[in-house]
Amino acid sequence: MSSDHRDIMEALKALLAAARGEEKGECAGSIEHLIRHSVTEEPVTCPAAILAGRYLRMNPGRGAG
């Protein structure tokens, strides 16, 4: 995980703790969603985007819709 993502995760966890402490269920749910997104973004989405970019560079003209 990059240092940026570590910083974001730390901030989200602190925000989640605060939301739970204030009994803000809707906010906590939104923050949990952001945490799940952050957890999957780097190991899943980023490599997939890199792979798609490599494919498109290797196969010019196939990316045009």
Side-chain angles (χ1 to χ4, degrees):
M1 184 178 286
S2 72
S3 63
D4 289 342
H5 273 200
R6 275 191 296 276
D7 293 344
I8 290 168
M9 287 299 292
E10 288 177 25
L12 287 172
K13 287 177 183 178
L15 190 58
L16 179 59
R20 286 181 175 158
E22 294 288 324
E23 298 182 9
K24 303 288 186 183
E26 187 174 332
C27 290
S30 295
I31 296 163
E32 289 168 347
H33 177 77
L34 288 170
I35 289 172
R36 283 192 302 275
H37 173 78
S38 185
V39 167
T40 60
E41 182 181 32
E42 191 167 10
V44 176
T45 306
C46 291
I50 291 167
L51 182 61
R54 287 179 183 167
Y55 174 82
L56 292 173
R57 278 193 298 279
M58 291 172 54
N59 298 284
R62 291 200 175 208

